[in-house]
Amino acid sequence: LQRGLEDTIRPRYRMRVIVQAVDNNVETGPRTGQNRETFTFNVVPYEELLAEMNKDEEVLAYKSQELSDKMIDIRNAIDKMIERMPRDEGSDEFRASASRMDEVLAELEKGSDLTRELLSDCARLLKEAQANRLPANFVDNKEKITNLLDEAIRSHFERAREAHTVLRDALQSR
């Protein structure tokens, strides 16, 4: 029984690293320098690493769902606004619609900020997966997600922001 327990519980290690450098100064002779702080690494079993990364992924999945729901709400708000759009130019309803578009733009900015957070967290998980030499499919999956989030920030949110601004300006001018 004792042997079986030792096989299932794997040790954790703490590794401290101090960086020291030596230059090749030929005039005054080589000098040695050492950084003032030590770097501490926790070395954990593979299964524990995966468990911790899975916890992080659960949080990311929740945030992603929250972001998706917000973007759907924005789209529904715009659809409702278009349905209720007055037909006669100069109507006071245009002012209310333009005001609502300002609110929609603010929600879009919040969505963009949340996407940046997701990108940062995914990039951290990707680097961790690469540094720990996790399976290629795991790393590839993280790269795909990171690239999609980066594209959303650089392209999709920017185009949406421009389109919303044009619509708001058109509503204000009417």
Side-chain angles (χ1 to χ4, degrees), residues 56 59-64 66-67 70 108-126 145-146 149-150 152-153 157:
D56 289 345
V59 171
L60 291 178
Y62 174 77
K63 286 181 180 180
S64 297
E66 185 180 307
L67 175 63
K70 278 186 179 185
L108 184 68
E109 289 303 319
K110 288 179 187 175
S112 177
D113 292 343
L114 184 56
T115 304
R116 288 180 200 287
E117 284 180 34
L118 284 170
L119 175 60
S120 175
D121 290 343
C122 283
R124 179 184 53 79
L125 283 176
L126 172 61
I145 293 170
T146 302
L149 289 169
D150 185 52
I153 290 170
F157 274 103

Side-chain angles (χ1 to χ4, degrees), residues 64-135:
S64 297
Q65 186 62 49
E66 185 180 307
L67 175 63
S68 176
D69 292 345
K70 278 186 179 185
M71 296 301 103
I72 289 170
D73 290 345
I74 288 173
R75 178 61 191 206
N76 290 337
I78 292 171
D79 289 343
K80 284 180 187 176
M81 193 181 337
I82 291 171
E83 279 178 27
R84 298 176 184 160
M85 190 73 58
R87 302 288 177 231
D88 301 326
E89 193 169 328
S91 171
D92 285 341
E93 291 297 315
F94 282 112
R95 201 170 293 132
S97 295
S99 176
R100 179 66 184 125
M101 278 307 295
D102 285 335
E103 294 171 15
V104 168
L105 278 166
E107 288 298 315
L108 184 68
E109 289 303 319
K110 288 179 187 175
S112 177
D113 292 343
L114 184 56
T115 304
R116 288 180 200 287
E117 284 180 34
L118 284 170
L119 175 60
S120 175
D121 290 343
C122 283
R124 179 184 53 79
L125 283 176
L126 172 61
K127 287 177 185 175
E128 194 169 328
Q130 290 168 331
N132 288 292
R133 297 183 183 117
L134 293 181

